[in-house]
Amino acid sequence: MSEHSKSHIHILPLKTYLSVGAALLVLTAVTVGVSFIPLGGFNVVVALSIASVKALLVALFFMHLLYDKKIFMIIFAVAILFLALFITFTMFDTMRRGDIDVMQAAPIEKDAVIYKERGSDSTAVPSGIIPDSVTTAPEGH
Amino acid sequence: MSENIALARNYLNTPRGLKSWLLTLDHKRIGVLYLIAIMASFFLGGVFALLIRWELLNPGRDIMGPDTYNQVFTLHGAIMIFLFIIPSIPAALGNFVLPQMLGAKDVAFPRLNLASWYIYLFGALFAVYSMFSSAVDTGWTFYTPYSTETTTSVISMTMGAFILGFSSIFTGLNFIVTIHKLRAPGMTWRQLPLFVWALYATAIIQVLATPVLGITLLLLVLERVFGIGIFDPAMGGDPVLYQHFFWFYSHPAVYIMILPGMGIISELIAVFAHRKIFGYNAIAFSSLAIAFISFLVWGHHMFVSGQSPLAAMIFSFLTFLVGIPSGIKVFNWLATLYKGSISFATPMLYALSFLFLFTIGGLTGIFLGALATDVHLHDTYFVVAHFHYVMMGGTVMAFLGGIHYWWPKIWGRMYSEFWAKIAAVLVFIGFNVTFFTQFILGTKGMPRRYYNYLDQYQPLHAFSSIGSWILGLGFVVMLVYLLHSIYRGRPAGSNPWGALTLEWTNSSPPPPENFDEAPVLTHGPYDYDKVLVEEGSPARA
Amino acid sequence: MTHGKEHPAYLAHHFSEVEQQQESAKLGMWIFLLTEVLLFGGLFCFYTIYRAWNPDMFYNAHKFLNVELGALNTVVLISSSVTMALAIRSMQLNDRKKTIWFLVITLACAAIFLVVKYFEYSHKFHLGQLPGKFYTFTGVQGNNPHIFFSVYFTMTGLHGIHVLAGMVAISWVLYRTVKNNFSAQYYTPIEMTGLYWHLVDLIWIFLFPLLYLIG
Amino acid sequence: MDSTGTLFMPPGRSTIAGEVDTLFYFIFYTSVVFFAIVVFGITFFSIRYRRQRKAGLTSGLAHNTKLEILWSVIPTILVVIVFFWGFKVFIKMHVPPKDAIEIKVTGQKWFWTFVYPNGSNSLNELVVPVGKPVKLLMSSRDVIHSFFVPDFRIKMDVLPNRYTVTWFEATDPGIYNLFCTEYCGKGHSEMLGKVKVLPEREYQAWLESGSGGGEGKTPEEFGAELYVSKACVTCHSVDGTLLVGPSFKGIFGHVTQLEDGEAMVDENYLRESILNPQAKIVAGFEPVMPTYQGVLNDRQLDALIAYIKSLKE
Ligand code: HEA
Ligand code: HEA
Ligand code: CUA
Ligand SMILES: [Cu+2]
């Protein structure tokens, strides 16, 4: 609160806004273009990298993170960090369930019930005590 | 209000009228409104608890059937968690004292503060509605796929919890900004009372974790309505994923419950030992450490859920790390007693109970965090005992300590010290009788959420039920003398405990705007080593 | 009040300076944005995990989204972000007229976005590419394609609700600008609305490639 | 381990139980030490430094680096030990030996089904040989259940549409409790079973008999046995109490009210109700009864019907 002059008003030149906007549009065009080139797994990397650059531009210039107090940048970073932790730690489970036994990795029935009912026109068969799944081994990933 | 108190202009009597209360923007009044709502929730949850214990007195049916029992423990858990314990300390006591401790006139966003109370009521309405329609029977954890297929009112309860989440987020947001921006001139971070630090750490968890609960409950509702297939295996979903989503919030939430309690304990121990707090930095920092680590341990609720062994390993390891900052706090509190001048006024009795009970609760958390032992103990009464020791023995004891500590500030009057001590002793004894037995039940294999049980568990269950009656008696006594004191208690004076934090420089009850002039700090919050112990100490009052 | 300075009407009683009030608002807003990120976070997690489990199905299903419309919407939203930023800039320069114009354009862009979304949605409804158990489309290869559409509809749906909320906020500050409530000294509400609006844009910047381009 | 178990733990009857208990008691005694320190501290300081009548100043001591390091480092070391120990035993619990007997376990509301390698099956009673590792391949038909045998110290959730695995090696013949420990609705606390550990030879004999049994018993007696062992008991009482399904008490020979119409309860109706329960739904109940087609042979079916017949009012 002490630095009166600095934080009061920081007006960016019109040029900055317009060039950032232009850059965003160009990047959009690039990412759409690249998506039609088959790069295998790299498509994801490229698309997400471009998206991150765009997001950064919006945050730094439109949202003034570059010029405002550091604390806002910290808050923004914390949000991203915890989101990343959430997803990563969940994937420690979901991607590694077959570590001991591949049978545990995949669901037994690959398809949801809605597809089964659609497949045969017969009404639902009453379920027995011993499921069919016990006798048919699943295919692990 | 009568006599001399009525004469002074204070937040209770200026302005007057119901409308002025319902539209108030004063953080103190909002705190009191919260306090009323929260106490009501606690008693409601407590009545459900007594019903649980009554039913479990004998195997088989005592007073209700299995469906009803399942609804009762679900409502007990959901009410205690979402309506009582999460908002309890921050929203009621925190609201009341935080700005005063900072030397501020109000919280940063008073309107948001009032809104969060109304949002709380609105959420509570949903919860209560689900009580009277076909009450939910899923347990407070709403695990799928049971929650997607049961015919009970899951949607209204989850919507209730969803709405309550917003109330909690807004309180947290408000507190963070208040602590950053509204400290009295010259008050540095190192001069913050430890309760403020604890609220700060709590608020961080509230804003970071609660949105995930929001989206989880929303997805659960969508699963029920549209069968979107994220959590329901029949629709191609994964129920274990639901557990990840749920505990990503609900584990940090247990620290939303305990951290403010720990903050209160720091205040109480320093005041009633009349001693400079030992390890200020360590206590403040460990709150932040707990807040951070708490986000990375949620999987310890899922050791036998079929999650991957890799995840179980990581979660178990990080779980243990939380024990260390908690231990640091406990030892610092102990050290604060050393060479103090210890008074045994009622708040201190609760603080000491907290130390005793939380240590048991926390240490039993270590049994649960260890992978091999958790396999045996998971979903047994050992877990039930663990979490009642930390929530009831920890948070609720701290809450009661805080209530008794700030009661004279809130109402301007003292309660009866004699009856307060009796109630404290009853609660302490009743609590241990009720829940210590449950550790034994649990290790012997008694599963939780059981309406009926094998005869071999009967004696311990009966013992536990008896404990709950002692506990109930303690609370009835407490209710009576507290209500009595509001009208008949003797005037308290501005600083009955000889405490040094800023709220005690105000008159009791405080004036509407707290401080006319921003207070000037003359000493730190714990400089008791520079102040003589007053002679007519509250211990003998 | 403590300082004895004149205090403008917009300064609330519990703040001592305008500066303090503005920064509090901004801090509060950023924390709110953080909660928004984590709210969407659950959906990003949903997306990531199911995509990792069923990469082929996601790939096949994403082909049924209309890249042209998605790209159009991206352009619309980015433009609206630019005009939003310019609206604030104009206010900083005390140019109320321009602010009003920029806000109107922003609002118009938001409306275009929703109209385009409406056409996308109704086309999908028509084909039975509905979320969850209402899914009746048969053209997608792979297991459980309804999950892709659940992801699509929850993500874009929640985002759409945010666009709608943004429109309400923009209309409100527009109204207040017209009523001459703001000046170069005090324009916090516009600034806050701007931050919110940029976040909505920012989320779309991720949704677009994740859903339309790489499935 | 003695046969009554210790104060906290039930008797251990599997090879892993001893290891779990050792870890448990390691944590237990460590906790007791820490707890004792805390309680001693509270008590001692409370007495020694209680508030005196005379006024004075208290200590300003707020640091002691040595102490602070001590109470951070010692717990850290201890928890790291507990972590590795717990992880080691946990992995052991999760990796079944190669030569384990594989039994398929199905949980459903609210009973267990076990299918043995030779194709025979049993309900609510898992029969295993002593001293042989047994691997359980588990899945659920509806919601999540959890397979818990306290005496073996094993527990594993049983998930719908996914397999989970656990294993054990029983050390003593006997009959042990089996609980469902994941909340699964109305019958959760009735979803009990037994694990019957037999000497190898008896186990083989039991398997060969096709889990049929009933030799040398009257049909009524055999039916009464099946009523329990085939889990009818979880949903049907014989004393008139209404559980998940209607009571068997005195239904035979009476007219029962159906959702649509009514039916005379005779042998054919009973047979149909058991083999094709969804065909006729009794009014006021949900159609949740599973079919017993392929689970009960004719002799068992007759025995059950005879038993129900015998339950007069
Ligand atoms: C206020 C709430 C609260 C708090 C503070 C805690 C604190 C802890 N909890 Fe608890 N917990 C719950 C509320 C809480 N818990 C609830 C509600 C559930 C059940 C939910 C449900 O299923 O319904 C639960 C369940 C639960 C489980 C899952 C059990 C299961 O379902 O199988 C686990 C497992 O790791 C666990 C661990 C811990 C640990 C390690 C701590 C630690 O933070 C404790 C740290 C404290 C100490 C360790 C004591 C003080 C330290 C010392 C004296 C120093 C010496 C220390 C060492 C040597 C380590 N808890
Ligand atoms: C803050 C949290 C909190 C608190 C304080 C309590 C308090 C109590 N709880 Fe609760 N409990 C939970 C949170 C809490 N519980 C949760 C989360 C669960 C898990 C639910 C689930 O499985 O989903 C649970 C589950 C749970 C169970 C296990 C049920 C089961 O698994 O089958 C039991 C059983 O004994 C129990 C008992 C008690 C008792 C006796 C108290 C006592 O301490 C209560 C003391 C309070 C009173 C006695 C109230 C006093 C009121 C009166 C005397 C009446 C006066 C009335 C008027 C004036 C109107 N609780
Ligand atoms: Cu099955 Cu509980
Ligand atoms: Cu936890």
Side-chain angles (χ1 to χ4, degrees):
Chain A
M1 277 162 275
S2 43
E3 322 143 71
H4 246 260
S5 51
K6 190 191 161 223
S7 67
H8 215 71
I9 283 179
H10 206 286
I11 306 175
L12 296 185
L14 187 62
K15 221 175 71 196
T16 311
Y17 288 122
L18 293 182
S19 39
V20 170
L24 288 172
L25 293 178
V26 170
L27 284 172
T28 307
V30 171
T31 189
V32 172
V34 172
S35 77
F36 290 107
I37 311 168
L39 297 171
F42 263 105
N43 274 31
V44 186
V45 180
V46 173
L48 285 184
S49 311
I50 295 180
S52 305
V53 173
K54 285 163 75 182
L56 217 57
L57 286 176
V58 172
L60 291 181
F61 294 98
F62 290 175
M63 298 169 99
H64 290 260
L65 271 189
L66 201 54
Y67 309 96
D68 259 332
K69 292 224 151 122
K70 282 278 170 306
I71 175 110
F72 303 134
M73 202 155 351
I74 294 174
I75 293 176
F76 190 64
V78 163
I80 307 294
L81 173 73
F82 276 81
L83 176 54
L85 286 173
F86 177 31
I87 297 178
T88 317
F89 273 64
T90 309
M91 289 181 89
F92 283 142
D93 169 25
T94 58
M95 292 291 103
R96 301 293 294 270
R97 287 184 186 162
D99 278 5
I100 288 181
D101 185 343
V102 285
M103 272 186 116
Q104 296 185 57
I108 299 172
E109 295 284 343
K110 293 239 181 284
D111 282 314
V113 284
I114 50 170
Y115 300 99
K116 213 189 244 169
E117 280 159 13
R118 228 162 276 160
S120 65
D121 47 357
S122 71
T123 49
V125 209
S127 46
I129 286 191
I130 299 168
D132 323 326
S133 51
V134 167
T135 38
T136 52
E139 5 158 355
H141 264 315
Chain B
M1 307 300 104
S2 64
E3 305 127 334
N4 44 6
I5 294 180
L7 298 177
R9 177 175 167 278
N10 64 49
Y11 82 100
L12 288 171
N13 61 18
T14 343
R16 282 172 189 280
L18 184 66
K19 194 168 149 226
S20 78
W21 275 86
L22 293 180
L23 296 178
T24 182
L25 296 180
D26 184 343
H27 68 96
K28 296 181 291 302
R29 286 189 164 193
I30 296 172
V32 171
L33 290 175
Y34 258 119
L35 188 62
I36 295 167
I38 277 156
M39 288 311 285
S41 307
F42 177 70
F43 278 97
L44 184 60
V47 170
F48 282 124
L50 293 178
L51 290 175
I52 294 178
R53 288 303 340 155
W54 189 356
E55 174 53 42
L56 292 179
L57 192 56
N58 298 298
R61 185 190 173 100
D62 282 318
I63 50 170
M64 56 180 114
D67 281 329
T68 317
Y69 179 80
N70 294 342
Q71 294 165 351
V72 165
F73 79 69
T74 302
L75 291 169
H76 165 69
I79 289 173
M80 284 296 195
I81 298 275
F82 295 116
L83 286 176
F84 167 63
I85 197 168
I86 289 190
S88 64
I89 297 178
L93 296 175
N95 238 328
F96 187 85
V97 293
L98 174 73
Q100 299 191 63
M101 279 186 155
L102 295 176
K105 289 198 166 95
D106 208 325
V107 293
F109 310 114
R111 251 183 288 251
L112 189 66
N113 201 14
L114 181 66
S116 91
W117 186 71
Y118 278 106
I119 295 172
Y120 171 90
L121 280 195
F122 190 53
L125 216 67
F126 270 82
V128 170
Y129 168 77
S130 83
M131 225 166 86
F132 288 109
S133 62
S134 53
V136 261
D137 66 343
T138 57
W140 79 281
T141 47
F142 309 117
Y143 272 17
T144 52
Y146 186 75
S147 59
T148 51
E149 64 165 63
T150 173
T151 51
T152 54
S153 56
V154 176
I155 291 185
S156 64
M157 186 50 109
T158 43
M159 283 322 286
F162 177 79
I163 295 166
L164 289 166
F166 280 97
S167 157
S168 174
I169 289 178
F170 291 149
T171 306
L173 189 157
N174 221 333
F175 284 5
I176 295 182
V177 178
T178 308
I179 295 169
H180 269 276
K181 294 291 174 201
L182 291 179
R183 301 192 304 274
M187 186 186 271
T188 63
W189 285 87
R190 291 228 174 154
Q191 284 164 331
L192 292 181
L194 286 165
F195 183 45
V196 174
W197 268 108
L199 287 175
Y200 186 68
T202 310
I204 290 177
I205 308 181
Q206 280 175 308
V207 298
L208 274 169
T210 320
V212 177
L213 175 74
I215 196 73
T216 307
L217 297 178
L218 217 55
L219 286 170
L220 183 59
V221 170
L222 291 177
E223 184 75 81
R224 255 185 98 93
V225 180
F226 296 112
I228 58 170
I230 171 169
F231 300 138
D232 183 358
M235 287 303 296
D238 180 20
V240 179
L241 193 59
Y242 171 81
Q243 300 174 19
H244 282 294
F245 274 57
F246 181 80
W247 291 115
F248 180 84
Y249 166 75
S250 292
H251 180 78
V254 310
Y255 298 99
I256 295 179
M257 307 168 198
I258 198 71
L259 282 174
M262 291 170 153
I264 291 185
I265 297 305
S266 304
E267 300 298 325
L268 296 186
I269 298 222
V271 172
F272 292 95
H274 197 90
R275 187 189 183 294
K276 193 180 187 77
I277 192 106
F278 192 95
Y280 175 92
N281 290 342
I283 295 180
F285 178 74
S286 60
S287 292
L288 295 180
I290 291 175
F292 178 72
I293 307 173
S294 74
F295 277 92
L296 303 177
V297 308
W298 77 81
H300 66 207
H301 296 271
M302 302 164 57
F303 287 155
V304 301
S305 69
Q307 77 176 337
S308 78
L310 174 74
M313 178 187 93
I314 295 171
F315 284 127
S316 167
F317 184 73
L318 294 168
T319 296
F320 287 124
L321 295 190
V322 186
I324 292 151
S326 309
I328 290 177
K329 280 180 192 279
V330 170
F331 292 124
N332 278 303
W333 290 323
L334 263 189
T336 305
L337 296 178
Y338 171 71
K339 288 197 175 169
S341 167
I342 302 171
S343 136
F344 298 99
T346 311
M348 188 61 162
L349 292 188
Y350 285 111
L352 296 179
S353 304
F354 174 99
L355 275 188
F356 186 94
L357 301 173
F358 174 74
T359 305
I360 298 182
L363 287 169
T364 51
I366 301 299
F367 291 79
L368 298 171
L371 286 163
T373 40
D374 183 65
V375 169
H376 178 66
L377 300 172
H378 173 73
D379 267 357
T380 64
Y381 265 77
F382 192 90
V383 177
V384 175
H386 157 70
F387 67 69
H388 282 96
Y389 262 85
V390 278
M391 294 200 293
M392 176 90 188
T395 311
V396 175
M397 291 300 152
F399 177 67
L400 296 176
I403 290 271
H404 285 86
Y405 175 58
W406 283 300
W407 194 260
K409 181 61 49 185
I410 296 174
W411 304 106
R413 290 172 184 276
M414 282 309 276
Y415 46 81
S416 152
E417 186 70 24
F418 172 77
W419 286 106
K421 287 211 161 99
I422 290 194
V425 170
L426 281 175
V427 166
F428 183 80
I429 293 174
F431 175 80
N432 283 297
V433 172
T434 312
F435 291 107
F436 198 82
T437 37
Q438 296 187 358
F439 283 122
I440 304 174
L441 272 175
T443 51
K444 292 282 185 197
M446 169 73 208
R448 65 189 279 208
R449 297 175 173 172
Y450 260 32
Y451 160 73
N452 191 2
Y453 52 84
L454 302 181
D455 289 340
Q456 71 193 73
Y457 300 118
Q458 208 267 340
L460 287 169
H461 267 303
F463 200 65
S464 176
S465 296
I466 293 170
S468 74
W469 301 331
I470 305 178
L471 202 47
L473 182 65
F475 280 109
V476 170
V477 172
M478 193 183 304
L479 196 65
V480 171
Y481 72 75
L482 282 182
L483 287 179
H484 178 264
S485 75
I486 295 180
Y487 300 100
R488 294 274 175 278
R490 76 185 153 76
S494 71
N495 190 359
W497 315 116
L500 292 183
T501 41
L502 286 176
E503 77 271 27
W504 300 104
T505 59
N506 268 333
S507 52
S508 306
E513 296 246 289
N514 298 347
F515 306 96
D516 293 334
E517 286 288 323
V520 182
L521 293 185
T522 51
H523 50 68
Y526 302 110
D527 288 341
Y528 292 101
D529 52 335
K530 304 197 178 80
V531 185
L532 279 181
V533 181
E534 277 177 45
E535 274 225 49
S537 67
R540 270 176 288 277
Chain C
M1 281 164 252
T2 47
H3 297 257
K5 284 188 258 175
E6 35 64 83
H7 45 95
Y10 50 79
L11 179 61
H13 75 100
H14 57 290
F15 289 109
S16 47
E17 306 162 37
V18 178
E19 187 100 22
Q20 187 191 23
Q21 179 171 4
Q22 272 174 0
E23 293 201 342
S24 298
K26 222 181 207 173
L27 185 60
M29 193 63 200
W30 269 102
I31 295 170
F32 178 69
L33 296 186
L34 170 147
T35 68
E36 291 281 21
V37 170
L38 282 146
L39 184 76
F40 275 95
L43 296 180
F44 282 109
C45 189
F46 179 13
Y47 172 93
T48 316
I49 280 163
Y50 279 92
R51 190 189 154 150
W53 272 338
N54 301 305
D56 297 336
M57 181 274 282
F58 264 60
Y59 181 78
N60 295 332
H62 100 273
K63 296 210 161 132
F64 291 89
L65 301 188
N66 190 326
V67 181
E68 286 83 28
L69 291 185
L72 171 65
N73 258 349
T74 312
V75 172
V76 167
L77 221 49
I78 287 175
S79 314
S80 78
S81 245
V82 177
T83 53
M84 188 74 227
L86 293 179
I88 296 170
R89 182 174 179 276
S90 308
M91 202 74 236
Q92 288 171 332
L93 297 170
N94 240 336
D95 191 342
R96 196 164 66 88
K97 267 237 181 67
K98 266 202 192 140
T99 301
I100 293 176
W101 273 114
F102 281 129
L103 285 178
V104 168
I105 300 174
T106 312
L107 209 52
C109 284
I112 295 174
F113 180 91
L114 286 182
V115 169
V116 173
K117 262 281 59 97
Y118 168 79
F119 282 116
E120 281 190 80
Y121 273 17
S122 55
H123 183 62
K124 295 210 164 41
F125 287 176
H126 186 70
L127 293 180
Q129 292 163 343
L130 289 152
K133 67 181 174 203
F134 300 111
Y135 181 81
T136 53
F137 190 63
T138 48
V140 182
Q141 296 283 307
N143 297 110
N144 292 332
H146 69 284
I147 289 185
F148 178 83
F149 290 96
S150 298
V151 170
Y152 170 79
F153 279 107
T154 46
M155 286 184 126
T156 56
L158 190 65
H159 181 262
I161 292 173
H162 278 75
V163 172
L164 218 59
M167 288 176 75
V168 173
I170 295 171
S171 311
W172 175 69
V173 290
L174 179 61
Y175 169 76
R176 288 191 59 187
T177 317
V178 172
K179 283 196 41 187
N180 210 355
N181 282 168
F182 302 129
S183 65
Q185 277 70 49
Y186 175 70
Y187 54 89
T188 313
I190 313 185
E191 208 182 357
M192 300 302 107
T193 309
L195 282 177
Y196 177 81
W197 191 248
H198 295 312
L199 186 87
V200 172
D201 182 25
L202 207 146
I203 286 169
W204 181 259
I205 285 178
F206 281 98
L207 291 189
F208 172 59
L210 286 178
L211 294 170
Y212 290 79
L213 299 183
I214 53 179
Chain D
M1 283 294 126
D2 64 323
S3 59
T4 53
T6 49
L7 171 60
F8 281 102
M9 286 298 208
R13 304 296 193 189
S14 73
T15 48
I16 204 81
E19 298 189 41
V20 174
D21 290 5
T22 319
L23 175 59
F24 181 92
Y25 277 104
F26 176 76
I27 307 176
F28 181 77
Y29 287 115
T30 318
S31 300
V32 168
V33 170
F34 277 101
F35 182 59
I37 295 174
V38 172
V39 173
F40 175 79
I42 297 175
T43 326
F44 178 76
F45 293 151
S46 291
I47 297 170
R48 176 75 177 71
Y49 301 112
R50 69 189 179 280
R51 191 162 293 183
Q52 309 286 343
R53 278 191 179 280
K54 61 175 194 302
L57 283 177
T58 53
S59 163
L61 178 73
H63 285 289
N64 184 325
T65 315
K66 250 192 226 147
L67 257 181
E68 286 174 79
I69 291 178
L70 215 60
W71 70 46
S72 315
V73 170
I74 293 182
T76 310
I77 296 173
L78 284 170
V79 294
V80 168
I81 295 175
V82 172
F83 162 71
F84 278 107
W85 191 342
F87 182 57
K88 205 182 109 224
V89 180
F90 182 74
I91 288 300
K92 217 165 169 181
M93 286 168 154
H94 276 70
V95 186
K98 288 265 174 309
D99 60 342
I101 302 169
E102 187 173 301
I103 297 176
K104 308 252 166 61
V105 179
T106 306
Q108 62 181 291
K109 286 175 176 171
W110 286 276
F111 59 93
W112 302 97
T113 315
F114 306 101
V115 180
Y116 299 83
N118 73 350
S120 58
N121 66 71
S122 66
L123 266 67
N124 275 353
E125 186 178 67
L126 173 62
V127 183
V128 294
V130 69
K132 278 265 177 72
V134 176
K135 171 182 171 185
L136 303 176
L137 182 61
M138 309 192 288
S139 69
S140 159
R141 296 191 59 88
D142 36 48
V143 299
I144 305 178
H145 303 276
S146 191
F147 183 95
F148 177 36
V149 184
D151 289 358
F152 295 169
R153 312 285 190 272
I154 58 160
K155 181 183 289 130
M156 190 48 149
D157 278 9
V158 179
L159 300 167
N161 205 20
R162 231 185 95 193
Y163 288 113
T164 50
V165 171
T166 188
W167 76 278
F168 63 88
E169 182 181 326
T171 51
D172 303 83
I175 295 178
Y176 306 110
N177 290 322
L178 155 66
F179 296 117
C180 172
T181 46
E182 183 62 59
Y183 174 69
C184 52
K186 187 172 184 172
H188 172 53
S189 63
E190 311 305 320
M191 195 166 162
L192 308 173
K194 297 280 179 209
V195 182
K196 195 179 199 173
V197 180
L198 298 175
E200 175 71 25
R201 194 124 41 69
E202 286 174 40
Y203 170 70
Q204 289 301 343
W206 180 86
L207 268 190
E208 256 121 59
S209 77
S211 65
E215 285 80 14
K217 293 199 178 92
T218 66
E220 283 83 7
E221 279 167 8
F222 185 35
E225 205 174 79
L226 291 167
Y227 163 74
V228 176
S229 69
K230 297 297 176 193
C232 318
V233 62
T234 26
C235 304
H236 299 283
S237 79
V238 290
D239 61 0
T241 325
L242 292 188
L243 302 173
V244 176
S247 173
F248 287 158
K249 185 174 175 188
I251 56 167
F252 193 83
H254 286 71
V255 172
T256 181
Q257 221 51 48
L258 299 181
E259 287 287 306
D260 41 2
E262 43 184 49
M264 180 65 188
V265 180
D266 53 18
E267 277 94 344
N268 280 333
Y269 173 81
L270 288 180
R271 184 176 289 270
E272 188 189 25
S273 292
I274 297 168
L275 296 181
N276 190 6
Q278 256 66 353
K280 298 199 175 87
I281 305 298
V282 182
F285 293 90
E286 279 165 54
V288 292
M289 175 163 161
T291 167
Y292 278 80
Q293 189 90 50
V295 176
L296 299 173
N297 58 32
D298 278 346
R299 220 167 46 78
Q300 293 170 322
L301 212 56
D302 292 339
L304 267 171
I305 293 171
Y307 173 61
I308 295 174
K309 257 167 113 173
S310 73
L311 297 167
K312 301 270 154 47
E313 292 210 37

